[in-house]
Amino acid sequence: GGIITQTPKFLIGQEGQKLTLKCQQNFNHDTMYWYRQDSGKGLRLIYYSITENDLQKGDLSEGYDASREKKSSFSLTVTSAQKNEMAVFLCASSPGGPVAETLYFGSGTRLTVL
Amino acid sequence: AQKVIQVWSTTSRQEGEKLTLDCSYKTSQVLYHLFWYKHLLSGEMVLLIRQMPSTIAIERSGRYSVVFQKSRKSISLVISTLQPDDSGKYFCALWELLLSGSFNKLTFGAGTRLAVCP
């Protein structure tokens, strides 16, 4: 088995701040993902990466940057936090390349913007 | 248009009851898989069930089963003998094999939040 570790667990920021969320996995999976979960909505894909140094935009990439410098880590940057924003950001990984299916998730980072 | 539809956003039950969570989906692909995930209060997202074309994989042992009606494009998660620990948010997800060469990704429903009262 493996584990996905997301840091920090809770993130509180100010409007306009640049905030970075980190994710590490030891499954040796090729593909990693960042999802955002808002209350009442399904998970929405922000960015994904098929392999080291690869970045692909998801459905919600505007306002975010991502970085995959190593196979085991995938970071997400909120480029300018929006006031009163509250969401849970979930990192995930999967073994397959472009035919990825079963995802394994981290425990999430809860973002609150004051 | 939503591809994965979970009608109930929240529900509550008493301990010991049986619960069915409904999910319907839309796809024109021949090959697809369906998943049920549970989002724990701790933030962790846990895979419960993976439904493939002709087989089902129960990833988490316990009181989970599914009712899969392919012709109706419906997959329901059944949890028997509810316990307070079953509280959480349950997501249905669809993975489609796209032959166009574009990346195949999961599409999630909006989730159903379950509260189980002792």
Side-chain angles (χ1 to χ4, degrees):
Chain A
I3 191 167
I4 296 182
T5 305
Q6 287 187 238
T7 54
K9 236 175 153 46
F10 298 93
L11 184 56
I12 300 173
Q14 304 282 341
E15 185 183 8
Q17 253 189 316
K18 188 171 168 178
L19 302 166
T20 298
L21 293 68
K22 293 186 184 298
C23 176
Q24 296 267 349
Q25 54 101 356
N26 62 1
F27 286 101
N28 199 33
H29 284 167
D30 289 313
T31 310
M32 294 186 75
Y33 310 76
W34 276 107
Y35 283 91
R36 175 183 166 125
Q37 190 204 338
D38 293 274
S39 181
K41 295 192 168 100
L43 274 67
R44 292 181 289 172
L45 184 63
I46 306 172
Y47 264 97
Y48 63 98
S49 166
I50 293 172
T51 188
E52 186 178 327
N53 292 320
D54 173 73
L55 288 176
Q56 306 286 339
K57 291 184 179 180
D59 304 316
L60 200 70
S61 60
E62 193 171 328
Y64 301 94
D65 285 327
S67 171
R68 182 99 184 267
E69 291 169 7
K70 291 192 298 186
K71 187 176 181 179
S72 61
S73 67
F74 193 29
S75 61
L76 180 74
T77 299
V78 180
T79 54
S80 179
Q82 302 298 304
K83 190 173 174 63
N84 296 326
E85 183 175 3
M86 282 180 68
V88 176
F89 291 84
L90 288 163
C91 176
S93 70
S94 65
V99 197
E101 45 151 328
T102 306
L103 268 62
Y104 298 86
F105 285 85
S107 56
T109 294
R110 295 177 187 273
L111 170 68
T112 302
V113 181
L114 302 175
Chain B
Q2 277 187 292
K3 284 190 113 164
V4 181
I5 300 157
Q6 294 179 251
V7 176
W8 300 106
S9 58
T10 61
T11 189
S12 63
R13 292 289 188 277
Q14 293 294 123
E15 188 174 358
E17 289 183 342
K18 180 178 170 181
L19 171 71
T20 301
L21 295 174
D22 295 321
C23 172
S24 60
Y25 58 93
K26 296 176 185 172
T27 182
S28 56
Q29 304 302 323
V30 173
L31 180 61
Y32 58 90
H33 295 175
L34 295 153
F35 299 82
W36 276 100
Y37 283 90
K38 180 184 177 185
H39 193 207
L40 304 179
L41 296 175
S42 64
E44 190 180 352
M45 192 84 148
V46 174
L47 176 63
L48 300 176
I49 290 201
R50 180 157 48 109
Q51 174 72 56
M52 293 158 283
S54 55
T55 58
I56 177 173
I58 298 180
E59 302 283 341
R60 279 277 167 150
S61 62
R63 294 161 282 102
Y64 306 111
S65 60
V66 292
V67 176
F68 180 42
Q69 297 176 290
K70 193 169 181 178
S71 59
R72 296 182 62 188
K73 291 197 168 62
S74 159
I75 180 164
S76 299
L77 176 70
V78 181
I79 311 175
S80 61
T81 321
L82 284 168
Q83 298 170 3
D85 275 353
D86 291 323
S87 298
K89 194 162 186 178
Y90 291 80
F91 287 93
C92 178
L94 166 70
W95 173 86
E96 302 165 280
L97 178 62
L98 303 173
L99 299 176
S100 61
S102 57
F103 185 76
N104 307 298
K105 56 180 166 67
L106 283 184
T107 304
F108 286 85
T112 300
R113 184 169 297 285
L114 168 65
V116 180
C117 308

